[in-house]
Amino acid sequence: MFADRAKIYVRSGKGGDGHVSFRREKYVPNGGPDGGDGGNGGSVYFVVDEGLNTLTDFRHIRKYCAENGQEGGKRNCAGKNGGDIIIKVPAGTVIKEAESGKVITDMSGENRKYLLLKGGKGGNGNQHYATSTMQAPKYAQPGQPAQELELLLELKVIADVGLVGFPNVGKSTFLSKVTNARPKIANYHFTTLNPNLGVVDLEDAKGFVIADIPGLIEGAAEGIGLGHEFLRHIERTKLIVHIVDAASTEGRDPIEDIYAINRELEAYNPEIARRPQIIAANKTDMIYSENDPVALIKAEFEPQGIPVYAISAISGKGLRELLYAINNKLAQLDTAPTIFEQEFFPEFHFDVSNEPFTVIYDEKAEEYVVEGPRIEKMLSYTNLESEKGFKFFQNFLKENGILKQLEELGIEEGNTVRMYGLTFDYYR
């Protein structure tokens, strides 16, 4: 059974506690502290495995935990670090925070390994707390707690071209003729119950990847049938090839079929509906009527800028012309893969949401100063040089009420704000 969604629980390892102990040797009756540090907890990593193409494994194992760090020991012995856990997923897996549905990372493109949850840092042993006035500290630092999340994994196949159309219009036959894919083919609805990928190799031209999106029906965008399960796989494609039964072998109107599928795409995601389309009028070998249905399809859609190609997936007629038209269209489009941007930041979610901060005006320096553990940690993992990182930084200031506090202190446009060595000019 093809699986393209899974819900799992992940947890990093807790840091080991620091140890409290003192030297106890024969000729050292009042030895100093020698408690060792706790080991660091293991982290949770996601890694792309090229040998996987479904999320089936996650239907059997739903809980993934890294090891905890061990407690420190006597004689300055540090505790052992906890082992990391590496979770393997197929390329194209989008990892989301389950409750909010926000994207954490997209395991596509160059993103082959991703640190999702960092293990807790081990606590310091009591040896670190000896001072001139406190030579026998009976305190050690506890290890940092583990981090845990419920995740939603979604596999969105990576293909240049998505085939759409009603069930039984010949998509699987088309894919088997033009690519190395071997989908199961039979004469009944919903034969294809999982997306099939195939690579098209053309002479003197760059190849491309086609995804056969299982047959849609009206109401798919509302989840009728298997709509949502399949529509997500078209989200990365650059070009949509709409295969239609031009011969009306099942009594449907091919023009109305095209409009019906386009309505489903619009309802699911308007951005997808706006992507370039090519219509492949299939089953032309079975047309026996005097009125040419292909001509009617061309008259309806080519004025809208959608080219129409007459083909027969069974006989192979018209396939070469269609494939080169697809290749030429792809050459005109942006070749960068579609990557889903990060919306949920686990570091912020765990580390800083409850940490304190202060906002003051430094009259001597004539600067507004924002500092505190929450600010320091946020800056440590935010890349302010990237557009995405700077946008997150701005949202952080707004959502945490920092901008509001600056305005209450009377900040004006052009004034300087300082945060741990970084300075910014304030603008509304």
Side-chain angles (χ1 to χ4, degrees):
M1 176 68 179
F2 180 83
D4 57 4
R5 274 170 72 93
K7 193 173 184 179
I8 64 171
Y9 166 87
V10 296
R11 189 187 72 205
S12 63
K14 175 189 178 298
D17 296 336
H19 190 70
V20 176
S21 62
F22 300 91
R23 290 177 62 191
R24 291 290 182 264
E25 299 176 27
K26 187 173 182 180
Y27 300 106
V28 188
N30 296 309
D34 68 351
D37 300 342
N40 296 328
S43 299
V44 178
Y45 289 88
F46 277 83
V47 174
V48 170
D49 185 337
E50 301 294 347
L52 298 176
N53 55 20
T54 79
L55 299 176
T56 303
D57 292 347
F58 297 100
R59 293 195 168 184
H60 309 295
I61 304 175
R62 296 179 181 270
K63 188 175 183 179
Y64 297 82
C65 301
E67 292 182 349
N68 295 330
Q70 291 185 354
E71 182 184 353
K74 299 179 180 179
R75 299 182 180 179
N76 301 325
C77 289
K80 182 182 176 182
N81 292 336
D84 298 332
I85 187 166
I86 296 176
I87 304 172
K88 297 179 180 180
V89 294
T93 301
V94 178
I95 301 171
K96 298 180 178 182
E97 195 274 324
E99 184 177 354
S100 66
K102 292 183 176 180
V103 174
I104 298 175
T105 190
D106 183 350
M107 302 301 292
S108 303
E110 297 179 357
N111 186 21
R112 317 307 286 177
K113 185 175 183 179
Y114 183 80
L115 171 58
L116 186 91
L117 297 178
K118 194 171 183 179
K121 188 176 183 299
N124 291 329
N126 69 330
Q127 59 174 307
H128 293 276
Y129 300 102
T131 66
S132 58
T133 57
M134 174 62 73
Q135 297 184 5
K138 297 180 181 180
Y139 168 81
Q141 185 183 35
Q144 289 183 349
Q147 300 176 352
E148 59 184 3
L149 276 178
E150 274 207 330
L151 303 176
L152 182 63
L153 309 184
E154 289 188 350
L155 178 58
K156 301 176 189 284
V157 298
I158 302 173
D160 304 301
V161 178
L163 300 182
V164 300
F166 270 78
N168 216 29
V169 295
K171 299 195 310 300
S172 295
T173 303
F174 172 80
L175 193 72
S176 67
K177 280 295 182 81
V178 303
T179 75
N180 55 357
R182 293 293 175 264
K184 294 180 181 179
I185 301 169
N187 188 29
Y188 50 85
H189 286 182
F190 286 110
T191 297
T192 307
L193 289 180
N194 38 289
N196 288 297
L197 288 178
V199 179
V200 175
D201 293 316
L202 296 175
E203 293 180 10
D204 304 321
K206 185 180 178 181
F208 52 88
V209 179
I210 292 183
D212 169 18
I213 311 302
L216 300 180
I217 60 174
E218 289 189 81
E222 281 72 48
I224 296 175
L226 296 172
H228 271 143
E229 300 303 310
F230 299 147
L231 281 165
R232 75 170 59 91
H233 293 295
I234 206 172
E235 292 186 24
R236 294 191 198 271
T237 58
K238 298 284 187 290
L239 176 67
I240 295 172
V241 173
H242 204 137
I243 295 187
V244 65
D245 178 3
S248 301
T249 58
E250 296 193 347
R252 293 197 310 270
D253 180 354
I255 292 176
E256 179 51 39
D257 277 5
I258 295 168
Y259 280 123
I261 296 298
N262 283 341
R263 284 194 294 269
E264 294 309 314
L265 295 177
E266 176 74 28
Y268 178 72
N269 187 333
E271 182 187 341
I272 296 174
R274 289 192 293 270
R275 289 179 190 168
Q277 285 194 29
I278 291 177
I279 294 173
N282 192 25
K283 301 191 180 182
T284 55
D285 56 311
M286 301 178 69
I287 295 175
Y288 303 110
S289 63
E290 294 182 2
N291 295 326
D292 182 5
V294 176
L296 296 175
I297 296 171
K298 287 185 175 183
E300 181 70 23
F301 292 101
E302 290 194 336
Q304 301 178 33
I306 304 174
V308 178
Y309 289 84
I311 67 166
S312 169
I314 290 289
S315 69
K317 178 183 176 183
L319 294 184
R320 179 181 175 82
E321 291 81 359
L322 173 60
L323 294 178
Y324 275 94
I326 292 171
N327 185 74
N328 292 338
K329 187 64 179 177
L330 287 173
Q332 302 169 20
L333 303 175
D334 181 11
T335 57
T338 300
I339 304 294
F340 294 89
E341 294 291 329
Q342 185 172 11
E343 301 167 325
F344 184 92
F345 296 80
E347 306 95 327
F348 169 68
H349 180 72
F350 292 109
D351 286 345
V352 301
S353 57
N354 296 317
E355 297 277 9
F357 68 90
T358 59
V359 181
I360 63 170
Y361 179 65
D362 184 341
E363 293 186 2
K364 185 176 180 180
E366 295 184 342
E367 292 177 335
Y368 291 83
V369 182
V370 183
E371 57 187 6
R374 188 182 309 195
I375 308 303
E376 187 176 19
K377 290 181 180 179
M378 181 275 295
L379 290 174
S380 70
Y381 63 73
T382 305
N383 179 12
L384 298 180
E385 295 181 0
S386 73
E387 183 179 349
K388 181 177 70 174
F390 193 73
K391 184 176 181 181
F392 169 71
F393 169 70
Q394 290 177 311
N395 288 337
F396 175 89
L397 297 181
K398 182 178 180 181
E399 291 174 2
N400 284 269
I402 296 170
L403 292 180
K404 183 178 180 181
Q405 289 193 38
L406 287 170
E407 290 170 357
E408 289 174 351
L409 288 174
I411 195 169
E412 296 180 354
E413 289 200 5
N415 288 164
T416 301
V417 179
R418 188 175 78 242
M419 299 182 188
Y420 289 97
L422 299 173
T423 57
F424 307 90
D425 290 332
Y426 173 80
Y427 292 99
R428 294 184 186 277

